[in-house]
Amino acid sequence: MTAEPRVIVVGAGVAGLATGCYAQMSGLSTSIFEKHVLPGGCCTAWSRKGYIFDYCIEWLIGTAEGNDAHQIWRELGALDGKSIRNFEMFNRVVDEHGRAVTFYTDPDRLEQHLLELSPADAASIRSFCNDLRRFVRLDLYPFLKPAPLQSVREKLGLLRAVLPALRLFWRNAATPMNRFSAQLHDPLLRRAFPNIFFQDPQDFPLMPYLFNLAAAHNRNAGFPQGGSLGLARSIEERYTALGGQIHYRSAVQRILVSQGRATGVELRDGTRHHAEHVVSACDGRTTLGRLLEGRFSSPRTDRLYQDLLHRPGTLYPGVVSAFVGVKGDVSADSAHSTTYLLSAGDAARLPGALQKSLVVQLRSRYSDGFAPPGRSVIHCTYFSDYSFWKSLRTTDRAAYRARKREVAAFVREFLDRRHPGLGERIDLVDVASPVTTERYTGNFHGSILAWKGFDEAEDVTGRMVNRDRMRLPGLSGFSMAGQWVAGGGLIRAASSGRFAAQYLCAELGVPFRAWESTGTRPWTPDRLGRLPQLERWYERERNQS
């Protein structure tokens, strides 16, 4: 073992970058190998004709000071020099007839609005808003240290914070949203409540809705300037400033193993790089099946990848994204985020749609720099069936492209219907399917957030973190990080990198160290760097026509 143990990290997503940052701060020499040309994984963006299509962040937990999540982002330099955009509403839901409900983040304003819409549902509305007020007063973001490494004092401190709210947690974790909404009298509220998170994640209890609404009210779920790729670029800058090295266009083909120990990686071009420890921060199925050639597993990974992975409803669905470039702006009174509940006829026109809804977000209101001067970007999304798109792209590429054109045509017509005259000002429409996500990130079935929370998979991943310490039996010198190990969401991905570094430091007898970045250089859009264009056939077809 050298004075500075060499660590190789596979994947430059948020988890991989975080692992590298914390390992570097703790005195470990690291290198990250990434197959793409950009950092961030799913936390990314691409461009066309001067528009920036921001793909990932809808809200970011940890944008307010004074909690563990914010501390992690500060340690990673993710928010250096950036302003934060906060909204008074979380989402608006509009039905086929134009009737709307707005989910304000302020409990008092939300209660008044909901009571005006449906006095008959007063008891349920007041119960929901009273619980929201209690969540607003809570401050529980335990993302700094895994349970096995916590001291007795730290565990007692967490217990003291949790105990007074234990009944609140239990009641809202045990009440499914679909059961709560089904007993509402008003038909719009009955359909709208499950769409607070833009699209209905299905099978979620009330607790995450209350937690995130409360975080938004406390300005702790804002949108950072620079968006998704901006977040990744800031962490990349922090990592390289700490002495880390990133190798782009360097796809790892397999993890080298000798005598039960990971010794490095072999790239797709055949070159080999050696290290004392390897951390895989990429898709879990790829890690176990291809990189480790199926040679290592555990009872928990077997449960996840041989059973739960193939069980319907265990993963977040993939999404179809349609980015729309618009000349000028959308009407000022439009919400920044709206879920439109679709008629059966409209829903049937969306290829591969899993729900009868379309989310429309005015992304230019989230951050400056997403569109050329005098123009705007709208992002339209819907949950979609990965198998539908995969089959098309595999067997009939022309049909695959035709379905994408159908999405673009529907979005153009729908937006013009909702905002008369907007269709004439549409500059371009860029469509990405779940297969697009899979191709560029490697995420299984194009699932951006991996395992759904509040399910058996969350229990299994929790044991992987706290009992297996993110390791595999029979394989030393190796650990896993990221959403496929620690659950979905950017703060969990970043936290998993911190955990991986802490476990590694404990194993090596090296003190774990972390400190906040002191970067103050103002963020500007040019720091995103050169962005790729996806699916260039759009331009080829346009030129040919």
Side-chain angles (χ1 to χ4, degrees), residues 163-182:
L163 278 178
L166 193 59
R167 189 175 178 183
L168 175 72
F169 291 156
W170 179 86
R171 184 176 68 253
N172 287 289
T175 305
M177 170 57 86
N178 56 19
R179 191 172 75 200
F180 171 84
S181 59

Side-chain angles (χ1 to χ4, degrees), residues 4 7 31 66 69 82 91 96 104 106 131 151 171 192 201 203 251 261 293 296 309 335 368 400 455 478 491 498:
E4 295 185 11
V7 180
S31 293
K82 296 179 180 178
N91 189 35
E96 306 92 322
Y104 296 105
D106 179 84
D131 282 351
S151 66
R171 184 176 68 253
D203 303 321
R261 183 175 189 86
E293 300 172 316
F296 300 93
L309 187 71
D368 298 331
Y400 173 76
D455 201 346
F478 174 80
I491 187 57
R498 201 178 199 272

Side-chain angles (χ1 to χ4, degrees), residues 5-16:
R6 294 169 303 193
V7 180
I8 285 177
V9 180
V10 181
V14 169

Side-chain angles (χ1 to χ4, degrees), residues 110-380:
L110 176 62
E111 183 176 291
Q112 180 181 352
H113 173 63
L114 295 177
L115 288 174
E116 289 172 354
L117 286 173
S118 179
D121 289 308
S124 297
I125 290 169
R126 290 196 175 100
S127 174
F128 183 87
C129 292
N130 284 336
D131 282 351
L132 177 56
R133 292 183 182 94
R134 293 189 64 187
F135 271 89
V136 166
R137 295 191 292 268
L138 293 175
D139 183 19
L140 290 173
Y141 297 91
F143 297 118
L144 291 181
K145 188 182 290 187
L149 299 183
Q150 292 175 7
S151 66
V152 173
R153 184 175 182 178
E154 289 169 330
K155 291 178 180 178
L156 288 175
L158 180 60
L159 189 62
R160 281 194 296 270
V162 169
L163 278 178
L166 193 59
R167 189 175 178 183
L168 175 72
F169 291 156
W170 179 86
R171 184 176 68 253
N172 287 289
T175 305
M177 170 57 86
N178 56 19
R179 191 172 75 200
F180 171 84
S181 59
Q183 49 86 40
L184 296 172
H185 295 85
D186 186 275
L188 173 60
L189 294 190
R190 200 159 51 237
R191 298 169 66 195
F193 261 86
N195 288 284
I196 293 175
F197 288 164
F198 316 126
Q199 296 167 91
D200 182 1
Q202 298 183 335
D203 303 321
F204 265 26
L206 289 178
M207 190 163 75
Y209 296 92
L210 294 164
F211 173 87
N212 284 284
L213 279 170
H217 179 64
N218 290 329
R219 306 176 75 82
N220 200 38
F223 189 89
Q225 188 181 14
S228 306
L229 184 58
L231 189 89
R233 284 294 194 197
S234 292
I235 303 175
E236 175 195 46
E237 289 180 10
R238 172 70 162 157
Y239 173 65
T240 55
L242 289 167
Q245 295 183 330
I246 303 182
H247 305 274
Y248 290 111
R249 300 182 186 273
S250 300
V252 173
Q253 184 65 28
R254 66 189 181 102
I255 294 169
L256 301 174
V257 177
S258 176
Q259 297 180 344
R261 183 175 189 86
T263 60
V265 296
E266 179 178 293
L267 304 186
R268 192 170 293 167
D269 63 7
T271 59
R272 293 186 172 191
H273 301 265
H274 296 278
E276 277 80 30
H277 196 92
V278 176
V279 180
S280 181
C282 62
D283 176 74
R285 186 169 180 265
T286 299
T287 296
L288 297 167
R290 181 167 63 79
L291 302 187
L292 289 173
E293 300 172 316
R295 297 168 57 192
F296 300 93
S297 65
S298 71
R300 280 182 257 280
T301 59
D302 288 344
R303 183 70 170 151
L304 286 172
Y305 293 100
Q306 294 181 23
D307 178 11
L308 296 177
L309 187 71
H310 308 287
R311 186 183 297 181
T314 303
L315 295 181
Y316 281 97
V319 298
V320 168
S321 289
F323 287 97
V324 184
V326 179
K327 299 173 184 176
D329 198 1
V330 185
S331 55
D333 61 344
S334 299
H336 72 282
S337 177
T338 303
T339 297
Y340 290 98
L341 304 176
L342 303 178
S343 66
D346 277 343
R349 293 175 58 193
L350 287 177
L354 295 176
Q355 298 179 6
K356 296 178 180 179
S357 61
L358 180 71
V359 180
V360 177
Q361 296 180 328
L362 310 182
R363 297 297 281 187
S364 298
R365 297 187 185 171
Y366 287 65
S367 179
D368 298 331
F370 284 169
R375 308 199 177 203
S376 307
V377 173
I378 301 173
H379 188 197
C380 303

